[in-house]
């Protein structure tokens, strides 16, 4: 499994855990999904780092996409608001992570 697929799985695990946290407020059995999701996410993230993805890039993508997907999915599943201002914020977060990724690639080229 590639580092990018592992990172995708880590993101999905974290988003699932976060969304389950909201569900667990009414049905405590969901706390099992919360704990499992967060543990899986961190374990997968450690595999991503072992596979060679730089920490700043891995954590940035994990965090940014986690925030974006959680906001979008909570709007769909729980009917929470998703305003235009929030959308701009999500775009800015993702743009910042892209800048970190591009900067990381250029730094690796220079160090070679």
């Amino acid at each position: 499994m590639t580092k990018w697929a592992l990172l995708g799985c880590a993101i999905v695990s974290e988003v699932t855990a976060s969304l389950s946290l909201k569900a667990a407020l009414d049905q405590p059995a969901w706390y099992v999904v919360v704990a499992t999701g967060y543990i899986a996410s961190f374990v997968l993230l450690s595999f991503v780092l072992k596979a060679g993805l730089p920490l700043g890039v891995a954590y940035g993508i994990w965090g940014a996409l986690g925030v974006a997907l959680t906001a979008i999915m909570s709007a769909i599943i729980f009917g929470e608001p998703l305003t235009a201002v929030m959308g701009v914020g999500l775009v800015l977060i993702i743009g910042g992570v892209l800048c970190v990724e591009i900067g990381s690639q250029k730094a690796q080229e220079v160090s070679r």
Side-chain angles (χ1 to χ4, degrees):
M1 189 175 270
T2 70
K3 57 189 168 190
W4 294 106
L6 285 168
L7 183 58
C9 291
I11 293 166
V12 169
S13 296
E14 190 270 333
V15 170
T16 300
S18 296
L19 293 170
S20 297
L21 187 58
K22 174 90 175 192
L25 297 174
D26 295 325
Q27 298 176 350
W30 281 96
Y31 283 118
V32 173
V33 178
V34 173
T36 303
Y38 283 130
I39 290 168
S41 182
F42 284 109
V43 168
L44 289 164
L45 191 57
S46 72
F47 291 158
V48 170
L49 298 176
K50 280 184 181 179
L53 199 61
L55 177 60
V57 173
Y59 184 74
I61 293 170
W62 179 78
L65 288 180
V67 167
L69 290 173
T70 300
I72 292 166
M73 294 305 295
S74 66
I76 293 168
I77 296 170
F78 301 114
E80 293 183 350
L82 187 60
T83 66
V85 172
M86 292 169 71
V88 170
L90 293 173
V91 168
L92 289 171
I93 290 169
I94 292 170
V97 169
L98 288 174
C99 288
V100 170
E101 168 64 16
I102 291 167
S104 174
Q105 288 177 0
K106 293 201 182 288
Q108 286 177 353
E109 290 172 6
V110 170
S111 68
R112 289 181 190 173

